[in-house]
């Protein structure tokens, strides 16, 4: 008996059904069966299913004699399910990597509840991925509960495929799907209300494809009227069970929300049928009123007529249009006032003792600018340092840091008077470069992928990037800091402007070059890493060919388990996603939930990545410039380049990182796991590759870059020669270099 049965209704999804089935069958957790139901699909989808069943014993195919719709197709597949838990997956959707393993672990942790609710992401046809706005409800506890204890769960999306159901629970209650559209609604309410134990998993397990056509939500027609009948079925279920009648009011409000949402969408109910749809929804709302109902203001429109509803909608649209126009006018007025304020201050002399700092689009005291700031406090304390920081980032500033917010009057005043500008991104507003001011651009690492003007030939990577605007900002640079001659050449090409390159080294890397054996101990303790553990830092870079940047390369839980088998139980996997992904759905695909269970440490929100590098024994990355910084530590680096061709085609690479690597390179997950299993991740060849890489790309990093910048550009001292870099100490875990002559296993 398998742990999971996945029931997949299939109708006119030939273009997607292979991806759907592969997403289930290629899971790292393989104790699963698939019941695929061909709902008399006319596009040959059934033939695809038969081909899978012929070569994969875990797949069973049912061919229905007539089309019955997704609900009754699921009903047809349910009797053949033999797994402990049942999942439903539509034929054009997919399970994300690691989903079944995460579900199995959570079910075991919760003691096999009746229902496990998990998260999903909607992937739109134009490429955007969105997590559900109510996902925060899933992380509110680790035990089990009933709907009576947490009634807010009835407000989660009423879809069938965001839950795992204990099969014996389904059979005991005889749950089945009704005919018609919106069939998930009369399934979800009875299931949740009937469950004695519900658990949650705060992780995205299903990627729901949002097609521009071919689905109910992208189709205009009278099929949307089925929603009224489906709610009537829910009310009939409540009426047949006296213990459930107290839920009538909550279901009534859910019905009102649902119907008004459908009516407000421009591409669902035909324009000629909208009045009828409204009247039916309003009739249901009045019909199921009970004496103890408290009115919800948003639903009062259903107490009136169609004309009143239309008038209210027109008024709302007018208010929104005026609000947008007013906001634009206010923004223009504010800009003109601010510009006048700046011009007034630009008539005053520059303040030779004032420096402005900004890092990563004003996110805080970070990176190279932070290192220069700290050095200036030591070697040039007479220079006042002020940071430009976004309002939401202010609470995280270290004590005593002086700051201004972008666009504020105080920012404009200081920007008009400052002599020194030190940053690694553009400055806010229409900043005027005054004669005598010194603009120092530190960059954000050694360029491995295309930047600046080179993006003009990479339209995918240019999405959202104003290259001419970037170059106009670069015209203000006086000095560009470089850590190697490669960077010097690339920056002069990518930003063909009038700056001077300074071979100072990277200020942010001083802490790495000067690291001692215990430099990462405090960070390890803060992250909860047990003493004596080997720490693997996994830091992937975003993908320009994926909107939003996130690409799930492999199952993190499987990687952590494989590392423990190879390196021993004293192993901690630290995951650091790119900061650009911290606020999006990326962490919901695994890191957050695995962090909660102690499988990995999710360090995405750690502000100082150099501290994570100090705390680690080996870096696993793909195409991140972090590898160049990490080479200063002289610790092992593994490059996982499983999609190099796609990455190079979409973004462009200045280096072929597979022929000029800082360590061994894997081209598949199997190769990556084998590198650690065989010990080659830290063999003599990896040390030789790292030494050559370090010599080429860390040539100006000597641990004094920050001091050099301050003395040269702020104190006016003559620039000294940059000495050759010194070998940095390695942690104990990286000192052993077992030899190995084994070859890579075949890729998979």
């Amino acid at each position: 008996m398998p742990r999971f049965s996945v029931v997949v209704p299939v109708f006119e999804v030939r273009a997607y059904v292979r991806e759907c089935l592969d997403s289930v069958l290629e899971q790292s957790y393989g104790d699963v069966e698939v019941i695929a139901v061909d709902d008399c699909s006319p596009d040959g989808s059934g033939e695809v299913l038969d081909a899978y069943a012929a070569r994969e014993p875990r797949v069973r195919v049912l061919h229905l004699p007539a089309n019955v719709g997704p609900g009754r197709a699921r009903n047809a597949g349910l009797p053949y399910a033999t797994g402990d838990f049942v999942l439903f997956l539509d034929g054009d959707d997919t399970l994300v990597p690691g989903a079944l393993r995460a579900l199995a672990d959570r079910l075991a942790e919760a003691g096999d509840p009746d229902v496990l609710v998990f998260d999903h992401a909607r992937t739109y046809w134009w490429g955007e991925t969105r997590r559900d706005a109510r996902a925060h409800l899933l992380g509110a506890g680790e035990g089990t509960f009933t709907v009576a204890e947490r009634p807010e769960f009835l407000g989660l999306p009423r879809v069938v495929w965001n839950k795992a159901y204990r099969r014996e629970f389904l059979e005991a209650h005889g749950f089945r799907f009704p005919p018609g559209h919106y069939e998930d609604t009369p399934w979800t309410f009875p299931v949740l209300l009937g469950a004695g134990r519900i658990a949650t998993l705060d992780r995205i397990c299903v990627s729901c494809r949002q097609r521009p056509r071919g689905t109910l939500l992208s189709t205009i027609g009278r099929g949307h009227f089925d929603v009224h009948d489906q709610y009537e079925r829910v009310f009939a279920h409540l009426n047949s069970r006296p213990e459930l009648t107290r839920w009538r009011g909550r279901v009534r409000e859910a019905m009102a929300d649902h119907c008004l949402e459908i009516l407000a969408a421009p591409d669902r109910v035909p324009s000629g049928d909208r009045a009828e749809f409204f009247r039916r929804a309003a009739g249901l709302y009045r019909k199921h009123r009970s004496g103890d109902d408290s009115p919800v203001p948003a639903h009062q429109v259903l107490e009136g007529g169609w004309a009143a509803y239309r008038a209210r909608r027109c008024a709302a649209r007018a208010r929104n249009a005026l609000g947008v126009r007013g906001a634009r006018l206010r923004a223009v007025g504010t800009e003109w006032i601010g510009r006048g304020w700046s011009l007034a201050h630009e008539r005053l002399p520059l303040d030779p003792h004032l420096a402005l700092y900004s890092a990563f689009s004003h996110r805080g005291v970070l990176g190279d600018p932070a290192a220069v700031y700290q050095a200036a406090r030591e070697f040039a304390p007479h220079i006042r340092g002020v940071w430009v920081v976004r309002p939401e980032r202010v609470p995280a500033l270290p004590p005593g840091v002086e700051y201004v917010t972008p666009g504020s009057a105080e920012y404009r005043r200081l920007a008009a008077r400052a002599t020194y500008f030190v940053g690694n991104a553009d400055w806010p507003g229409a900043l005027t470069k005054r004669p005598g001011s010194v603009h120092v651009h530190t960059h954000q690492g050694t360029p491995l992928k295309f930047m600046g003007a080179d993006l003009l030939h990479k339209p995918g990577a240019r999405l959202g990037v104003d290259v001419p605007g970037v170059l106009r900002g670069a015209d203000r640079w006086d000095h560009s800091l470089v850590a190697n001659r490669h960077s010097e050449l690339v920056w002069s090409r990518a930003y063909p402007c009038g700056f001077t390159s300074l071979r100072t080294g990277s200020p942010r890397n001083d802490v790495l070059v000067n690291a001692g054996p215990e430099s990462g101990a405090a960070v390890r303790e803060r992250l909860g890493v047990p003493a004596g553990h080997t720490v693997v830092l996994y830091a992937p870079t975003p993908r320009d060919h994926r909107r939003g940047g996130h690409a799930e390369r492999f199952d993190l839980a499987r990687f952590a388990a494989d590392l423990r088998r190879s390196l021993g139980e004293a192993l901690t996997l630290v995951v650091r996603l790119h900061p650009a992904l911290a606020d999006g759905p990326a962490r919901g695909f695994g890191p957050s939930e695995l962090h909660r269970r102690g499988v990995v440490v999710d360090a995405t929100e750690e502000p100082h990545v150099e501290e994570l590098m100090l705390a680690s024994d080996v870096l696993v990355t793909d195409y991140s410039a972090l590898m160049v910084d990490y080479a200063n530590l002289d610790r092992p680096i593994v490059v996982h380049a499983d999609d190099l061709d796609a990455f190079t085609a979409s973004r462009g690479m200045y280096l072929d990182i597979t022929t000029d690597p800082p360590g061994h390179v894997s081209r598949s997950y199997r190769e990556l796991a084998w590198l650690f299993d065989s010990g080659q991740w830290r063999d003599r060849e990896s040390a030789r590759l790292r030494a050559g890489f370090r010599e080429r790309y860390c040539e100006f990093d000597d641990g004094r870059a920050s001091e050099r910048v301050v003395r040269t550009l702020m104190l006016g001292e003559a620039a000294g020669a940059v000495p050759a870099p010194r070998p940095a100490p390695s942690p104990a875990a990286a000192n052993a270099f077992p030899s190995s002559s084994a070859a890579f296993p075949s890729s998979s």
Side-chain angles (χ1 to χ4, degrees):
M1 178 185 298
R3 186 61 167 162
F4 295 106
S5 296
V6 182
V7 178
V8 183
V10 174
F11 181 75
E12 291 188 346
V13 289
R14 183 185 177 96
Y16 312 106
V17 70
R18 289 183 177 87
E19 186 179 357
C20 172
L21 296 178
D22 288 344
S23 76
V24 179
L25 300 173
E26 294 176 3
Q27 290 278 314
S28 58
Y29 186 95
D31 192 13
V32 61
E33 66 177 1
V34 177
I35 297 96
V37 183
D38 172 19
D39 191 15
C40 200
S41 183
D43 65 346
S45 294
E47 298 172 4
V48 176
L49 301 180
D50 289 337
Y52 269 81
R55 64 178 183 267
E56 173 54 76
R58 292 179 294 170
V59 176
R60 179 168 187 169
V61 180
L62 303 179
H63 295 281
L64 302 184
N67 175 250
V68 296
R72 287 189 286 181
R74 296 185 192 111
N75 292 341
L78 263 176
Y80 297 93
T82 63
D84 298 328
F85 283 84
V86 176
L87 298 169
F88 296 100
L89 189 66
D90 288 348
D92 55 350
D93 296 340
T94 57
L95 288 182
V96 305
L100 290 185
R101 182 180 296 274
L103 290 170
D105 290 345
R106 181 69 184 106
L107 288 168
E109 182 182 58
D112 284 6
D114 294 332
V115 180
L116 174 63
V117 185
F118 50 83
D119 198 13
H120 67 281
R122 295 184 184 270
T123 303
Y124 293 83
W125 58 271
W126 61 83
E128 185 177 356
T129 298
R130 297 178 188 169
R131 191 176 188 181
D132 187 68
R134 292 151 290 188
H136 62 277
L137 294 175
L138 302 177
E142 298 183 8
T144 61
F145 56 90
T146 64
V147 169
E149 295 167 323
R150 295 183 63 184
E152 66 273 14
F153 262 72
L154 289 181
L156 286 172
R158 288 172 287 279
V159 292
V160 66
W161 36 257
N162 67 347
K163 305 172 187 72
Y165 310 88
R166 189 166 60 85
R167 180 171 58 84
E168 292 178 352
F169 164 69
L170 296 182
E171 292 175 348
H173 288 76
F175 293 120
R176 288 297 183 270
F177 293 90
H181 300 298
Y182 298 101
E183 75 286 349
D184 294 20
T185 296
W187 166 279
T188 299
F189 281 109
V191 164
L192 290 179
L193 292 172
R197 297 173 64 243
I198 301 172
T200 62
L201 175 63
D202 185 13
R203 174 176 175 147
I204 296 170
C205 293
V206 169
S207 178
C208 177
R209 190 188 307 271
Q210 303 294 289
R211 292 186 275 155
R213 60 189 59 177
T215 65
L216 176 64
L217 298 185
S218 62
T219 303
I220 298 178
R222 289 187 61 87
H224 296 282
F225 279 76
D226 288 355
V227 71
H228 305 122
D229 296 332
Q230 305 297 17
Y231 275 100
E232 285 284 35
R233 291 185 171 98
V234 176
F235 284 113
H237 178 80
L238 300 180
N239 293 337
S240 67
R241 291 163 174 78
E243 72 277 11
L244 298 181
T245 55
R246 64 191 178 106
W247 296 102
R248 286 173 53 86
R250 189 172 287 270
V251 172
R252 176 174 178 258
E253 301 308 330
M255 177 203 68
D257 281 333
H258 201 171
C259 291
L260 290 174
E261 175 190 347
I262 294 170
L263 191 60
D267 53 356
R268 298 193 190 178
V269 181
S271 58
D273 298 325
R274 293 169 63 81
E276 179 186 352
F277 185 95
F278 174 86
R279 284 192 289 270
R280 286 193 59 182
L284 280 176
Y285 190 71
R286 291 189 295 269
K287 174 182 176 181
H288 295 289
R289 180 189 293 113
S290 57
D292 58 349
D293 285 344
S294 55
V296 176
H299 302 158
Q300 289 178 357
V301 66
L302 291 173
E303 301 283 2
W306 168 244
Y309 169 81
R310 288 188 63 188
R312 180 173 295 191
R313 290 286 299 169
C314 290
R317 285 194 292 267
R319 284 195 301 271
N320 290 338
L322 288 173
V324 170
R325 186 176 181 183
R328 291 172 179 168
L329 290 174
R330 286 191 296 273
V332 171
T334 301
E335 180 63 29
W336 275 101
I337 293 171
R339 184 62 183 146
W341 183 275
S342 298
L343 288 172
H345 283 279
E346 286 171 11
R347 296 189 179 95
L348 300 175
L350 293 177
D351 183 347
H353 300 150
L354 177 60
L356 286 187
Y357 296 88
S358 177
F360 302 104
S361 300
H362 329 305
R363 286 177 43 228
V365 184
L366 304 167
D368 291 296
V372 175
Y373 168 76
Q374 295 295 344
R377 296 182 70 178
E378 178 180 356
F379 299 107
H382 61 284
I383 295 179
R384 174 190 176 195
V386 181
W387 282 85
V388 183
V389 182
R390 298 203 302 257
E392 66 272 18
R393 296 283 181 170
V394 168
L397 289 177
V401 171
E402 190 176 356
Y403 70 91
V404 292
T405 56
S408 65
E410 183 65 5
Y411 163 72
R412 293 189 180 93
R413 187 181 70 82
L414 295 182
R417 299 289 311 280
T419 294
Y420 305 102
F421 293 79
V422 182
N424 62 11
D426 205 1
W427 295 87
L431 180 64
T432 300
K433 186 183 188 310
R434 297 186 62 186
S437 63
V438 179
H439 285 245
V440 181
H441 196 76
T442 67
H443 302 285
Q444 298 179 20
T446 293
L448 302 184
K449 53 192 177 185
F450 279 12
M451 306 290 288
D454 290 329
L455 293 178
L456 291 171
H457 305 292
K458 294 291 181 180
R462 280 190 61 199
L463 185 66
V465 178
D466 177 11
V467 174
V470 169
L471 297 183
R472 284 193 295 271
D475 277 332
R476 292 195 291 262
W477 302 350
D478 293 295
H479 303 285
S480 167
L481 307 187
V482 298
N484 48 65
R485 281 169 284 188
H486 161 77
S487 296
E488 188 173 25
L489 177 63
V490 167
W491 296 139
S492 64
R493 162 184 165 149
Y495 302 99
C497 305
F499 56 81
T500 299
S501 291
L502 289 183
R503 297 180 175 184
T504 58
S506 296
R508 69 186 179 281
N509 288 341
D510 289 347
V511 67
L512 304 179
V513 176
N514 297 324
E518 299 301 318
S519 295
V523 184
R524 283 177 172 236
E525 183 177 356
R526 190 180 76 243
L527 295 175
V529 177
H533 268 221
T534 298
V535 177
V536 178
L537 174 60
Y538 174 53
T541 197
R543 266 58 176 173
D544 292 284
H545 57 279
R546 296 287 295 272
R547 188 181 290 263
H550 176 66
E552 192 79 5
R553 305 315 308 165
F554 50 76
D555 181 352
L556 288 172
R558 178 186 182 186
F559 187 41
D562 288 342
L563 286 173
R564 290 188 176 93
R565 279 192 291 269
S566 300
L567 307 182
E569 288 299 316
L571 183 286
T572 297
L573 175 60
V574 176
V575 179
R576 161 78 174 196
L577 300 183
H578 192 277
L581 304 177
D583 298 327
R587 297 171 69 194
F589 282 97
S592 294
E593 185 267 335
L594 294 175
H595 177 89
R596 180 191 65 81
R597 293 198 291 113
V599 177
V600 306
V601 173
D602 178 10
T604 300
E605 290 186 345
E606 283 290 318
H608 302 289
V609 69
E610 60 273 13
E611 294 184 351
L612 299 178
M613 290 190 275
L614 288 170
S616 66
D617 298 298
V618 54
L619 171 68
V620 178
T621 187
D622 36 37
Y623 322 113
S624 172
L626 216 62
M627 69 177 71
V628 179
D629 302 341
Y630 199 83
N632 281 289
L633 290 171
D634 197 24
R635 302 176 188 177
I637 300 172
V638 174
V639 177
H640 185 53
D642 65 330
D643 64 343
L644 179 60
D645 291 341
F647 189 90
T648 302
S650 62
R651 179 60 185 254
M653 296 280 287
Y654 293 116
L655 301 176
D656 183 350
I657 205 62
T658 61
T659 60
D660 195 23
H664 287 300
V665 179
S666 59
R667 294 260 187 192
S668 68
Y669 177 77
R670 185 176 181 183
E671 290 181 0
L672 175 64
W674 180 85
L675 278 173
F676 285 93
D677 193 45
S678 66
Q680 288 203 6
W681 64 281
R682 56 176 182 176
D683 65 4
R684 289 188 176 88
E685 176 63 10
S686 73
R688 185 192 69 80
L689 291 170
R690 186 168 65 253
F693 188 87
R694 183 166 178 259
E695 182 179 355
R696 289 187 296 276
Y697 301 111
C698 305
E699 56 182 325
F700 303 146
D701 282 337
D702 66 341
R704 297 183 57 205
S706 304
E707 177 185 351
R708 188 174 295 113
V709 172
V710 173
R711 291 190 180 280
T712 302
L713 301 181
M714 294 183 175
L715 299 180
E717 299 178 6
V722 179
R726 298 165 295 177
S730 302
N735 281 338
F737 297 121
S739 60
S740 175
S741 58
F744 271 133
S746 59
S747 298
S748 64

